[in-house]
Amino acid sequence: MASSLTKSSTGTPGSEKTFFGHPRGLATLFMTEMWERFSYYGMRALLVYYLVSGGADAAAGSQGGGLAMKAATATAIYSVYVSMVYLMAMPGGWFGDRVWGARKTVTIAGFVIIAGHLSLALPGQAMFFVGLALVAAGSGMLKANISTMVGHLYDGPDDERRDGGFTLFYIGVNLGAFIAPFVVGTVGKEVNWHLGFALAAMGMALGLVQFLIGTRNLSAQSDIVPNPLSPAERKAVLTKVALVVVVVAAFYGVVVAMGAFTLNWAMVPLTLIGLLIPVAVLVRIKRDKDLSPTEQTKMSGYIWFFVAAAVFWMIYDQGGSTLSLFADSKTADTVFGLGFSATWYQSLNPLFVMALAPVFAWLWLWLARKNQEPNTIVKFSMALVLVGASFFVFIVPMNMAGDGTKVSPMWLVSIYMIQTIGELCLSPVGLSVTTKMAPKKYASQMMGVWFLAVTAGDCTTGLLSLAGVDLNGTGIIALQASLAVLAGFAIYMYRRKVQTLMGSVH
């Protein structure tokens, strides 16, 4: 990678060198995001296994020392945790825009993430939940601001290098996610849980150190607070936050004092908050009288895409819970006589993304030249049908493993590949359509709204688990698959109506 840093006359921020022809600062942000994703996905690969370890739902012969929870509880915690990471992207963006600026927010987020992983590295249920909360908050803050800093490196939206820069950045995301399960996952699951969590902290620490060293190569714009709080606004915010903290602390203090506190007292409110906030945000935007009739109509069309994305992520994100539990207990752990950790399955998605994303980019361009490229609505329909089909495929190995047979790893490889193809039909397109359909007043906030679809989908999964629904059963898997496929066909059947609502956006 060092050999790609060559002299350039483009005058990039802080240096005359470039990173694959892009501003040198992109290398700093690339490595920061790679190491942050390394820490996040490494920890995520361990999460469900650590929760069930030592309990009845753990795989036979697995390492003990975990929290010995039931599979349903582990799935709920995993789902709520992932949903909170994406929910925290909105306040994270707010801190970057109104309090600290993007660069300072990313720096603070890095320290928060490290503290979270170190908390996870300590034994005990209390430190585990403290660690999860810190990692979720830090990841949300970092996620919301680091992409903004990538944009700051370029000379406005018309800079011809901009799209390529974000593509390189996206490779960093997936590279970190790909490596993490092999390192953090293997050490944590097969050697010692807390050592694995500590390795995740080390990964984020490496990312933060190189970010601080390379900060001179970033744009000065990343230091600016675009819309700083006035003294009156700052006082009002602090008062509201203090009031909420006091009320929540008093309420839970009473619950604990009465001896009534259980995990559900924390999980159910978080799940409901994760479901209600996306709805409230969409309703607030939709009812804003400042929006023009055209913007109102586009928001009505956007809600179709939001709901579709929520259904998609509800199934897709079970790759780290439902599929992970199946991989550990009912899937063979050898290929050609070579053993491997069940955490390695979490590397399949980033591997397939890196391999297939260029193929899909070429395919859409090729079809566009022939005037045959599917529009956004059709791509969303394809994504829903594919993610539903992946769960229909999942039913086959589930039935095969019913008598205790260990199924071939290729079943899960196929399922993850189908889901990744669906992701490539939905995720990049969803980001694009969000920017195109966003009302001008909410242009900077709508990306956070898009991430709320992940929150809504994962909180639905969490709520089902908390309600006692066995998401690891064949019946519920078939029901979710049917829901996704039917949603895909519904959007396709109503595509003309949705296209009318989209107006000039295609």
Side-chain angles (χ1 to χ4, degrees), residues 35 39 99 105 124 169 205 227 238 263 287 340 368 429-430 443 461 463:
W35 282 114
S39 69
V99 183
T105 304
F169 180 73
N227 183 24
L238 289 173
L263 189 58
R287 296 179 64 182
F340 61 93
V429 177
T461 303
L463 195 60

Side-chain angles (χ1 to χ4, degrees), residues 1 223 437:
M1 199 171 286
D223 284 323
M437 297 180 71

Side-chain angles (χ1 to χ4, degrees), residues 250-261:
F251 174 79
Y252 280 102
V254 171
V255 173
V256 171
M258 293 173 61
F261 183 82

Side-chain angles (χ1 to χ4, degrees), residues 182-223:
F182 293 112
V183 181
V184 178
T186 303
V187 171
K189 188 174 184 301
E190 309 302 334
V191 181
N192 183 277
W193 300 114
H194 303 292
L195 181 58
F197 292 132
L199 283 175
M202 187 181 299
M204 186 66 251
L206 287 171
L208 182 59
V209 167
Q210 70 83 39
F211 176 78
L212 294 174
I213 292 173
T215 192
R216 65 183 183 277
N217 297 315
L218 302 177
S219 169
Q221 189 179 352
S222 298
D223 284 323

